[in-house]
Amino acid sequence: MDVSHILDPLNERQREAVTADNAPLLIQAGAGSGKTRVLTHRIAWLNQVIGVSPHGILAVTFTNKAAGEMRSRVEQLLGLSVAPMWVGTFHGLSHRFLRMHWKEAGLPQGFQILDSEDQKRMVQRTIRAMGLDESHWPPRTAMWYINNKKDDGLRADHIRDEGDPNEQQLIAIYKAYENACELAGAVDFAELLLRALETLRNNEALLNHYRQRFQHILVDEFQDTNTIQYAWLRLLAGDSGYVFAVGDDDQSIYGWRGAKVENILNFSDDFPDTRTIRLEQNYRSTSTILNAANALIENNSNRLGKNLWTDIGDGEPITFYSAYNEGDEARFVAERIMEHITSGGLRSEIAVLYRSNAQSRVLEEEMFRNGIVYRVYGGLRFFERMEVKDALAYLRLLSLPEDDISFERVVNQPPRGIGDKTVSQIREVARDAGVSLWHACAEILSVNGLKGRASTAVGNFMKMIIQMRADTQDMSLEKLVEHVIKETGLLEHYEKDRTEKGQARVENLNELVGAASMPIEAPQDAGELSELDTFLANAALEAGEQQGSEFDDCVQLMTLHSAKGLEFPLVFITGLEQGLFPSQRSIEEGGIEEERRLCYVGVTRARQRLFLSMAEHRRLYGRDHFNTTSRFIDEIPSDLLMEIRPRMNVSKPVAHTPRRQTIREDNTTGLSIGQRVMHAKFGEGIVTDYEGQGAHARVYINFEEVGPKWLVMAYAKLEVMNTV
Ligand code: ATP
Ligand code: MG
């Protein structure tokens, strides 16, 4: 049989892995060394040469997208459909299993899946039904506890009671929640895995059936499997199955979510006769990029160690741009992207990576301004995120209480005891009387049309909105947004959520305050709009446009975490600042090695060009940060970096040069840093920065009364004050 299409595109080591005899196999290799390629070719080999039916192959990868990609690559290699193959994420495959074996799993046939919001509501109902005080037992915290235990394979009954009253209560909530889910026939994400594992473990016939069926189990990104995923693999493989695991300890980036990189170390013990193969040639990146990655990761002490090389050639130096603020950084990114496009490059060849979700806002704004089609990969665009939409809905209500859509969105968000029944009642009155929901509320209240608690809750909601309208009359937009996210309880609501998602939501809300502190241009033909309405109109515009679909040619914006496994000719890593990347938390809590691995993942996504950037002054989460360069930049040998300074295109080695001059040569504002100015609305302030030219020139002024602000020179009408 001609197997050249399977073996020719591989080097010798890779071939060895693909054609290995049946035995557990661990491929421990660095980024871009062809691990994923080897895994797909192994599937083709098993099918075409060994004669394993697609029916007998199970492959697990990290995302649905990767699973789709793997399937199509295998189909291409084989020239036939591999639909019966089980390829997916751990969650996806567990789900498939439970749908087929709902009976054995003790579930109703049409069991419901709870997404994290549904799960939170279910936990909340449980807590209330137990008569507990939600402020003491926030649903998010309980949910976090439950999911962690499930990821460790523990049911409420299995948790050892150590006598800690706090934990005892959480265990009781977990138990009551389990019962509630059982009654409702509902399954949360963590449950999918746990339930599949238990079903297999408790049903010998079923387990034997699947062990016989899936003799070949292949796992990509093995370094990021957690306890329960690993248990699932071991159970399914048993003594007769062959696990083919590929991973890179240097790319383990989900320790904070329970991933156990030790699984790589334990593999050989748990699967006797394991063969380990190392791949050392990188086929992805130029040697400049690879050397930078190697030098960076060498600073980690906890590694298995490896030696990665490439023969692709040096390529271009890595560009490091130290911007003076986040807007300047975003502009730098956009300019480079446009250069690439005008010279015939594709948008889809570019990825812009960031550490924190909230950083996308400024980048998105700049993409939008320059008409660059982009897509936020693995997440929502800033103005489409739930918490941002909540806050915008409140702002719309302030501007126009008759806005029914906004009213419905936030009347019970955060929860304030206005249930679905009450809202339907209000809706009915509004429909009958042909008025807005807001007016309907007033009407119902005036005739005492609601029962006690609901009536008080609706009354309080209206009072809150009216009060906020009065309180914010003379506030700057920034203060107004800040006031609204606090007074409505939104911020506090999300602060209670201790999960990473909850934290990102708090950051996004604060970032919205940041957005409000920036000067905004009124949309064309908008007529006379208040500052708030202009802001809302811009938010609506940005949310609605330029989102490329999956198949369009668009620039990909994503967090460093979502970039795992992917590759792009051009990669930007933004925000390389101490406290942002590495994150403050990692610095304080000793998680620097995982941050460094994340940086290593980012750097090794790049094939030809890598751009790194930082902002010396960043307004993020609504706060000002004055930053020093990330230690990761210092860990990259300076001869691999070319530093570009704002506007002046000076390149020089980056090693510990004193940071930036105070006055730049491109200043066309007529003002200098340190100058005192007077603004009609904001009063006196001091110029601390400026950027842009001509009509677009902006100055950053620290006002005594209202704090720092960016203003457009053309509109600001500043009066220069004598400084003597
Ligand atoms: P990561 O650690 O980032 O997941 P990986 O080890 O899975 O990387 P792949 O994505 O499989 O690496 O391969 C990296 C790139 O190198 C891909 O573009 C792949 O097609 C290419 N490649 C892999 N092996 C070879 C080879 N033998 N010859 C030519 N190109 C190769
Ligand atoms: Mg890979």
Side-chain angles (χ1 to χ4, degrees), residues 30-37 39 70 73 220-221 223 246-247 251 284 564-567 605:
S33 58
K35 294 183 297 298
T36 304
R37 177 181 279 209
L39 196 136
M70 181 172 296
R73 280 212 225 160
D220 200 357
E221 307 279 1
Q223 74 281 356
V246 310
Q251 293 186 69
R284 180 178 292 148
K564 191 165 85 147
L566 308 177
E567 61 186 20
R605 296 312 94 200

Side-chain angles (χ1 to χ4, degrees), residues 119 123 142-150 173-174 177:
Q119 187 189 12
V123 173
M143 180 171 141
W144 180 76
Y145 178 82
I146 292 168
N147 290 345
N148 269 333
K149 291 298 170 199
K150 286 191 179 184
I173 295 172
Y174 182 6
Y177 168 77

Side-chain angles (χ1 to χ4, degrees), residues 155-175:
R155 295 266 172 221
D157 285 340
H158 300 154
I159 303 170
R160 265 231 323 265
D161 181 355
E162 308 271 2
D164 171 1
N166 192 46
E167 176 148 24
Q168 281 168 342
Q169 189 58 268
L170 285 169
I171 296 172
I173 295 172
Y174 182 6
K175 199 165 171 61

Side-chain angles (χ1 to χ4, degrees), residues 160-359:
R160 265 231 323 265
D161 181 355
E162 308 271 2
D164 171 1
N166 192 46
E167 176 148 24
Q168 281 168 342
Q169 189 58 268
L170 285 169
I171 296 172
I173 295 172
Y174 182 6
K175 199 165 171 61
Y177 168 77
E178 276 179 328
N179 291 337
C181 286
E182 205 69 38
L183 269 178
V187 171
D188 59 51
F189 283 162
E191 180 74 22
L192 286 171
L193 270 159
L194 182 55
R195 184 69 69 120
L197 182 82
E198 288 173 346
T199 307
L200 277 174
R201 203 164 44 200
N202 301 336
N203 192 322
E204 209 177 324
L206 203 60
L207 179 61
N208 285 336
H209 166 79
Y210 277 100
R211 279 182 172 171
Q212 261 163 25
R213 173 173 174 183
F214 294 125
Q215 295 249 307
H216 294 276
I217 300 171
L218 301 97
V219 195
D220 200 357
E221 307 279 1
F222 181 62
Q223 74 281 356
D224 279 325
T225 46
N226 67 18
T227 304
I228 192 151
Q229 293 165 344
Y230 189 61
W232 196 91
L233 287 174
R234 286 187 62 189
L235 182 71
L236 202 55
D239 293 330
S240 56
Y242 305 109
V243 177
F244 185 99
V246 310
D248 176 6
D249 61 309
D250 287 333
Q251 293 186 69
S252 145
I253 53 175
Y254 282 99
W256 52 278
R257 215 195 250 175
K260 298 263 185 320
V261 67
E262 301 87 309
N263 291 342
I264 293 192
L265 304 173
N266 296 338
F267 192 87
S268 313
D269 296 336
D270 293 335
F271 297 95
D273 305 321
T274 292
R275 227 178 118 184
T276 302
I277 293 183
R278 292 172 189 275
L279 307 174
E280 296 190 329
Q281 181 167 2
N282 170 297
Y283 288 94
R284 180 178 292 148
S285 313
T286 64
S287 62
T288 302
I289 292 169
L290 194 62
N291 289 342
N294 285 342
L296 176 78
I297 201 69
E298 227 158 68
N299 292 284
N300 272 8
S301 52
N302 230 340
R303 6 179 356 229
L304 297 173
K306 59 176 77 80
N307 179 25
L308 258 192
W309 59 277
T310 176
D311 64 7
I312 291 181
D314 287 351
E316 308 260 350
I318 297 166
T319 302
F320 172 55
Y321 184 68
S322 124
Y324 43 90
N325 62 29
E326 74 285 0
D328 182 34
E329 180 188 48
R331 224 175 4 257
F332 165 78
V333 172
E335 275 167 16
R336 294 299 138 119
I337 291 176
M338 288 189 294
E339 271 169 33
H340 178 73
I341 297 170
T342 38
S343 59
L346 293 175
R347 285 183 282 267
S348 54
E349 291 168 339
I350 303 170
V352 183
L353 311 180
Y354 38 84
R355 175 69 183 88
S356 140
N357 216 279
Q359 277 170 265

